[in-house]
């Protein structure tokens, strides 16, 4: 249109399908420039009008018959002579699918296309039977023919459910024509006998596969299927990086499906686990062959069925990393105990990210000793920052976090002091005599055992935090995101840091890289002077969350809004923004 392909591309991607269709009718130049973008995305076919669906169906059928006519000419001269000249010319005029399909990049779900191609077939020439076949083209052949022409189609994600696997014609065509192009595939199958079809589809996946998600229930009796067939010649998916076992239950006696799957997943780097009842032992054995596996998430977020992964089961899974874990995200469904911590302690030298949503409070001291021995740790979180399930969690006691040498009284050195960049957890047990006069929370306030104890403990906590010189995110809130739905819980804690200059906040002046400070759910004493101090000493600060909606917090919030437009500020009811970094 403008003679500049880059500008044409930017303009066409912003136009609606109706506008693109209008542009194709302006002149030949505009037609050639815009027609590829009109055909680029055909996902709308699943919800188009009957008139549009019938026109597209006719186009595909015409191209299919045109191909059949050419084959007839090549293999049987008599077949070509039986075709009427006028009908042949009409077929050639309608055979445009081969021209337009290479531009297609996105398609609707295969089940929607199958419904689109089902009879009744409405021909533009109702008086004549197609090529004298005496019957309409088979639906599965039309679908296969269409997929063959869409050579450049990018299938980023494919979801197959019981309904899809029940349609044998759809299953064969999708497995042979579409699945080899898929980058991410998800199965949601719960009916008896479907596991055999899952394996049939997976056998057609190519090296394009990058992400595999399974929600599958294999009932008792599925052992009648020959799972060993084709096992030896099955090759691993070279580019499969993530395996998601969100719901995997197997009541069969042999459980032979899983060893076959683990063998093909030997290049996996990240494992996500939800409810994996009955296959934990098999997974632990299969992880031995996954030499690249270094990331794991246990307790899939927003899972709607309550479940629990016991300490022994978690220990079995954690023992499977051959070269050490780099990322461990242990959600509320994972019960962390002595057995799992024993295996976790073997990976401290490689651990970079540790996120825990649930653990026994009696393990806090042991956890802190482990964290202190992680030289590469960059992210440490004991809250719902990632939308994970949690039980009631009282946080880390201040004395545990301070970690002083009992002989000298000095802070013990931690190996992660230079590497830690994100710290998210709640520090509790801080005496707050300044809150004793508030009768509404009087019973929850921790009292001092001697005068000045509260400020002394806070000073030591600040000393510990100040050692993380490369810290970018500091979230001392315990409310987090409730169940990942983006809403704050209502609890407010009184046994927390004041975050005031009088309590020792100035000790954090060396955190020059800090960008996020979140104190949601804490009864802090942040006022205008603290806000001014933060802006002066933390030049990269971009978000301050949890400022209370009244009193000193409101004054600080208004000061930020009036004087620091580059900083996002919020009271405790506003969610932590995921894109702030």
């Amino acid at each position: 249109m403008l003679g500049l392909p880059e500008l044409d591309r930017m303009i066409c991607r912003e136009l609606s399908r109706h506008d693109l269709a209008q542009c194709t009718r302006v002149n030949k130049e505009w037609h050639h420039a815009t027609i590829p973008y009109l055909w680029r995305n055909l996902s709308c076919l699943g919800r188009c009008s009957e008139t549009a669906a019938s026109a597209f169906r006719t186009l595909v059928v015409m191209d299919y018959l045109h191909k059949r006519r050419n084959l007839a000419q090549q293999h049987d001269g008599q077949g070509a002579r039986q075709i009427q000249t006028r009908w042949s010319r009409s077929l050639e005029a309608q055979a445009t699918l081969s021209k337009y399909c290479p531009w297609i990049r996105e398609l609707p779900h295969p089940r929607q296309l199958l419904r689109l191609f089902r009879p009744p077939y409405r021909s533009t020439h109702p008086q004549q039977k197609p090529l004298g076949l005496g019957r309409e083209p088979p639906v599965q052949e039309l679908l296969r023919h269409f997929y063959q022409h869409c050579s450049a189609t990018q299938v980023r994600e494919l979801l197959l459910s019981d309904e899809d696997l029940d349609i044998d014609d759809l299953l064969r065509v999708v497995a042979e024509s579409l699945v080899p192009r898929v980058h991410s595939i998800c199965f949601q199958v719960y009916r008896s006998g479907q596991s055999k079809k899952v394996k049939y589809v997976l056998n057609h996946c190519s090296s394009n596969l990058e992400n595999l998600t399974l929600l599958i229930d294999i009932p008792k009796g599925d052992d009648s299927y020959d799972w060993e067939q084709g096992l030896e010649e099955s090759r691993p998916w070279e580019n499969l990086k993530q395996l998601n076992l969100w719901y995997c239950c197997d009541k069969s006696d042999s459980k032979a499906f899983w060893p076959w799957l683990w063998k093909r997943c030997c290049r996996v780097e990240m494992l996500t686990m939800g409810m994996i009842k009955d296959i934990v032992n098999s997974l632990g054995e299969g992880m031995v062959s996954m030499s690249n596996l270094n990331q794991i998430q246990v307790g899939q977020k927003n899972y709607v069925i309550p479940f629990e992964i016991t300490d022994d089961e978690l220990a079995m899974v954690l023992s499977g990393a051959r070269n050490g874990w780099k990322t461990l995200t242990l959600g509320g469904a994972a019960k962390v105990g002595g057995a799992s911590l024993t295996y976790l302690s073997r990976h401290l030298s490689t651990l970079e990210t540790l996120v825990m949503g649930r653990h026994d409070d009696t393990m806090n001291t042991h956890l802190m000793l482990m964290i202190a021995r992680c030289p590469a740790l960059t992210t440490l979180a004991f809250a719902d920052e990632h939308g994970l399930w949690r039980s009631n969690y009282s946080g880390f006691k201040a004395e545990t976090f301070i970690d002083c040498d009992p002989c000298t009284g000095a802070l013990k050195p931690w190996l992660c002091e230079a590497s830690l960049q994100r710290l998210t957890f709640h520090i509790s047990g801080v005496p707050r005599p300044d809150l004793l006069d508030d009768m509404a929370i009087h019973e929850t306030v921790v009292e001092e055992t001697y005068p000045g104890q509260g400020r002394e403990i806070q000073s030591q906590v600040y000393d510990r935090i100040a050692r993380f010189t490369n810290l970018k995110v500091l979230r001392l809130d315990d409310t987090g995101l409730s169940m990942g739905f983006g809403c704050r819980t209502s609890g407010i804690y009184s046994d927390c840091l004041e975050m005031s200059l009088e309590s020792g906040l100035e000790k954090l002046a060396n955190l020059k890289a800090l960008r996020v400070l979140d104190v949601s759910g804490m009864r802090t004493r942040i006022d205008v002077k603290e806000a001014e101090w933060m802006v002066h000493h933390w030049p990269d600060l971009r978000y301050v969350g949890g400022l209370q909606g009244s009193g000193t917090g409101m004054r600080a919030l208004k000061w930020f809004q009036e004087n620091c437009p580059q900083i996002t500020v919020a009271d405790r009811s506003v969610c932590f923004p995921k894109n702030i970094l």
Side-chain angles (χ1 to χ4, degrees):
M1 296 186 296
L2 300 177
L4 296 174
E6 293 80 6
L7 290 179
D8 290 348
R9 181 167 56 252
M10 294 174 60
I11 294 173
C12 290
R13 287 182 175 179
E14 297 297 325
L15 298 178
S16 65
R17 293 189 60 81
H18 178 268
D19 293 336
L20 285 171
Q22 296 296 321
C23 290
T24 59
R25 300 170 182 170
V26 174
N27 53 43
K28 288 184 178 181
E29 182 180 355
W30 280 49
H31 176 86
H32 290 306
T34 56
I35 193 67
Y37 297 95
L38 183 63
W39 280 83
R40 186 180 184 86
N41 187 348
L42 295 187
S43 58
C44 60
L45 287 174
R47 56 184 183 274
C48 63
S49 64
E50 179 58 30
T51 301
S54 177
F56 181 77
R57 184 166 54 237
T58 300
L59 181 64
V60 176
V61 172
M62 286 294 189
D63 194 87
Y64 172 80
L65 297 179
H66 180 69
K67 180 179 179 181
R68 290 291 303 273
R69 181 188 68 109
N70 290 338
L71 292 176
Q73 288 178 332
Q74 295 175 9
H75 296 91
D76 186 2
Q78 295 296 326
R81 287 192 293 270
Q82 295 174 359
I83 300 176
Q84 299 180 12
T85 304
R86 181 168 60 88
W87 177 247
S88 177
R89 285 197 298 267
S90 177
L91 279 175
E92 292 176 356
Q94 294 293 333
T96 58
L97 203 64
S98 300
K99 178 180 178 181
Y100 295 132
C101 275
W103 294 329
I104 299 176
R105 295 295 183 273
E106 299 181 36
L107 291 171
H109 192 275
R111 198 185 325 132
Q112 294 176 321
L113 281 177
L114 192 70
R115 286 197 295 264
L116 194 68
F117 294 145
R118 284 193 185 281
Y121 158 62
R122 300 181 179 180
S123 173
T124 54
H125 299 273
Q127 302 298 327
Q128 304 193 33
K129 295 181 179 181
L131 284 178
L133 296 176
R135 62 180 179 86
E136 296 168 352
V139 177
Q140 66 271 22
E141 291 300 320
L142 289 178
L143 187 60
R144 190 190 312 273
H145 175 77
F146 179 65
Y147 281 143
Q148 288 174 350
H149 280 288
C150 300
S151 56
T153 301
Q154 300 174 0
V155 187
R156 298 302 310 176
E157 299 179 357
L158 179 62
L159 171 62
L160 296 178
S161 62
D162 284 309
E163 183 179 356
D164 302 313
L165 300 186
D166 285 340
I167 309 173
D168 292 339
D169 293 340
L170 175 65
L171 179 64
R172 294 189 185 96
V173 175
V174 169
E176 297 172 6
S177 303
L178 196 62
V179 169
R181 314 178 197 177
V182 170
H183 293 264
S184 176
I185 189 168
C186 175
F187 292 92
Q188 294 183 2
V189 291
Y190 308 103
R191 298 177 189 169
S192 177
Q194 299 288 46
S195 52
K196 180 181 180 180
K197 295 183 177 180
V198 171
K199 184 179 179 182
Y200 172 79
V201 174
L202 288 175
N203 266 322
H204 288 82
C205 290
S206 67
S207 58
N208 290 326
L209 188 64
E210 300 173 356
N211 190 308
L212 173 60
T213 301
L214 290 178
L215 292 92
I216 182 172
D217 192 349
I218 302 178
K220 192 174 183 64
D222 270 15
D223 298 292
S224 58
Y225 299 119
D226 185 9
W227 292 109
E228 300 299 325
Q229 183 178 2
L231 179 61
E232 295 300 328
E233 63 268 22
S234 296
R235 297 181 179 179
W237 295 303
E238 296 293 335
N239 294 314
L240 182 65
K241 304 302 180 185
Q242 183 167 346
L243 176 62
N244 306 306
L245 306 175
W246 288 353
Y247 178 89
C248 299
C249 293
D250 191 345
K251 296 296 184 181
S252 63
D253 295 330
S254 67
K255 296 179 174 55
F257 170 76
W258 305 104
W260 173 87
L261 179 65
W262 309 143
K263 187 175 181 179
R264 303 206 68 180
C265 297
C266 61
R267 303 290 189 270
V268 166
E269 297 178 0
M270 180 174 182
L271 175 65
T272 301
M273 292 170 43
M275 182 185 291
I276 55 171
K277 189 176 181 180
D278 307 317
I279 69 165
V280 175
N281 291 335
S282 176
L283 176 60
E285 297 171 358
M287 290 170 65
V288 176
S289 63
M290 303 178 188
S291 58
N292 298 332
L293 184 62
N294 56 31
Q295 304 176 60
I296 187 170
Q297 176 177 312
V298 181
Q300 198 270 325
K301 101 176 182 181
N302 293 343
Y303 204 83
V304 295
I305 302 176
F307 68 99
E308 180 179 88
I309 297 177
T310 66
D311 182 35
D312 291 335
E313 291 174 336
L314 182 59
M316 171 68 75
V317 174
L318 293 181
S319 66
R322 292 174 54 183
N323 299 317
W325 294 110
K326 289 186 176 180
T327 300
L328 286 178
T329 304
L330 307 178
K335 186 176 181 180
V336 181
S340 53
L341 287 180
T342 299
Y343 282 100
L344 177 58
S345 63
R346 301 177 183 178
H347 304 279
L348 301 182
S349 61
T350 60
L351 197 59
E352 298 177 359
T353 298
L354 177 60
V355 179
M356 298 183 67
R358 175 188 180 190
H359 67 277
D360 192 339
D361 288 350
T362 60
M363 298 289 176
N364 282 351
T365 301
H366 187 38
L367 275 171
M368 278 299 160
L369 292 175
M370 293 173 52
I371 293 168
R373 295 159 50 200
C374 298
L377 191 66
T378 60
T379 299
L380 175 63
F382 290 90
D384 276 341
E385 180 179 8
H386 297 260
L388 302 170
W389 281 33
R390 303 180 62 240
S391 59
N392 291 331
Y393 169 55
S394 60
F396 280 91
K397 296 297 182 182
E399 292 86 347
T400 304
F401 177 70
I402 293 169
D403 193 21
C404 285
D405 188 313
C407 298
T408 64
L411 299 183
K412 295 180 182 178
W414 288 9
L415 298 182
C416 61
E417 290 176 352
S419 62
L420 194 64
Q421 297 181 11
R422 298 171 65 93
L423 180 61
T424 302
F425 70 119
H426 171 59
I427 299 175
S428 62
V430 178
R432 292 288 301 275
D434 57 299
L435 300 177
L436 289 174
D437 294 335
D438 190 339
M439 298 305 297
I441 62 171
H442 178 79
E443 295 181 357
T444 64
V445 176
V446 178
E447 297 187 26
E448 294 180 326
T449 57
Y450 57 87
Q453 183 193 23
R455 290 289 174 86
E456 180 181 330
I457 291 177
Q458 292 187 69
S459 178
Q460 291 177 311
V461 171
Y462 291 131
D463 284 335
R464 172 60 69 190
I465 297 176
R467 292 195 172 205
F468 306 126
T469 54
N470 291 312
L471 203 62
K472 295 181 179 180
V473 176
L474 178 60
R475 298 189 62 200
L476 299 173
D477 63 307
D478 189 46
T479 54
L481 298 182
S482 174
M483 295 294 291
F485 294 124
C487 57
R488 290 285 185 188
T489 55
S490 58
I492 301 207
Y493 296 85
S494 57
D495 57 341
C496 58
L497 298 174
E498 297 178 28
M499 299 301 293
S500 64
L501 292 174
E502 292 82 359
S503 66
L505 180 64
E506 69 277 356
K507 293 189 175 185
L508 304 183
N510 63 333
L511 302 184
K512 301 301 182 182
L514 193 67
R515 296 179 61 86
V516 173
L517 174 66
D518 196 349
V519 293
S520 300
M522 298 170 55
R523 292 191 179 274
T524 62
R525 298 181 61 190
I526 298 176
D527 205 338
V528 173
K529 63 179 182 297
E530 281 78 21
E532 294 175 342
W533 182 91
M534 292 176 186
V535 172
H536 178 71
H537 290 88
W538 300 337
D540 292 338
L541 190 64
R542 292 296 177 268
Y543 176 85
V544 178
L547 298 179
Q548 297 181 15
S550 61
T552 61
M554 179 58 71
R555 291 197 296 267
L557 188 146
K558 290 183 177 179
W559 185 89
F560 274 118
Q561 292 175 338
E562 294 173 358
N563 298 277
C564 306
Q566 79 279 10
I567 298 178
T568 302
V569 290
D571 62 25
R572 66 180 183 88
S573 64
V574 180
C575 297
F576 173 74
K578 294 291 185 178
N579 61 346
I580 198 67
L581 296 177

